[in-house]
Amino acid sequence: MQTPSRNALISVVLVEDDVDFQKMLRHLIDDAPDMELLTVASTRVQGLQALDALAMDVLLVDLGLPDGSGIDVIRAAHLKRPDCGIMVCTVFGDEMHVMQSLEAGATGYLLKDSAAHSMVGEIRSLHLGGSPISPLIARQVLMRFRMQNPVVPVPLPLPLP
């Protein structure tokens, strides 16, 4: 991840088909003095085209797009724009979507119902090298890790007589 310049705006690209969520994010980013929204793509194809046309710091991606999966956009962004922070903003909180997104290259995962009030702060966190994750998603990732790496009980020493 690049070290952000103090004077540079955080450039954001949004790949989202929900018009209400687009408007909400556009308003929040427009009001943030340190951010600029470069474009909004409403489809998978438009999202892939934006990756070729624009240099962005942060990519926000919905998974359920009308012409395919946002995971394709995440995968392409991870390859074409390795310095770009990629955050999923979606309603899909199931393990399959979460793990596929993270494996494709997402570094953040927010559920839409919990993201609206804190989105600008989460974009800043992602840009600075953080990995914003909704608490329910973090729990899923931790549970999966725990299942793959079970805790082995360590016997306690017996007290001396």
Side-chain angles (χ1 to χ4, degrees):
M1 177 117 346
Q2 294 176 342
T3 305
S5 166
R6 286 186 173 272
N7 298 325
L9 294 176
I10 301 169
S11 56
V12 180
V13 168
L14 173 62
V15 181
E16 170 65 61
D17 65 321
D18 181 324
V19 176
D20 292 331
F21 199 72
Q22 285 178 3
K23 287 179 185 176
M24 184 270 305
L25 275 176
R26 185 182 305 272
H27 177 69
L28 290 171
I29 292 170
D30 286 347
D31 285 349
D34 58 340
M35 293 182 198
E36 65 177 332
L37 184 61
L38 299 179
T39 193
V40 176
S42 298
T43 66
R44 175 188 159 277
V45 168
Q46 290 172 353
L48 293 171
Q49 290 170 343
L51 293 176
D52 291 332
L54 301 168
M56 71 234 37
D57 298 313
V58 172
L59 176 67
L60 306 175
V61 183
D62 186 11
L63 298 182
L65 299 170
D67 60 343
S69 175
I71 292 172
D72 295 337
V73 179
I74 294 167
R75 190 173 292 112
H78 184 65
L79 294 172
K80 293 179 181 182
R81 305 273 179 205
D83 291 334
C84 176
I86 305 167
M87 184 157 45
V88 174
C89 299
T90 190
V91 296
F92 298 112
D94 60 280
E95 183 177 344
M96 182 189 77
H97 282 100
V98 172
M99 298 316 293
Q100 286 180 349
S101 297
L102 297 176
E103 289 167 358
T107 49
Y109 200 108
L110 298 177
L111 295 174
K112 284 183 180 178
D113 62 352
S114 64
H117 66 282
S118 62
M119 185 58 77
V120 169
E122 303 294 17
I123 292 170
R124 287 184 186 114
S125 173
L126 183 71
H127 183 59
L128 292 171
S131 291
I133 298 179
S134 293
L136 290 172
I137 301 304
R139 165 79 46 120
Q140 280 186 20
V141 172
L142 291 170
M143 295 303 286
R144 181 175 172 138
F145 176 78
R146 189 178 294 161
M147 287 176 18
Q148 291 176 345
N149 302 290
V151 176
V152 178
V154 177
L156 297 173
L158 295 173
L160 294 174

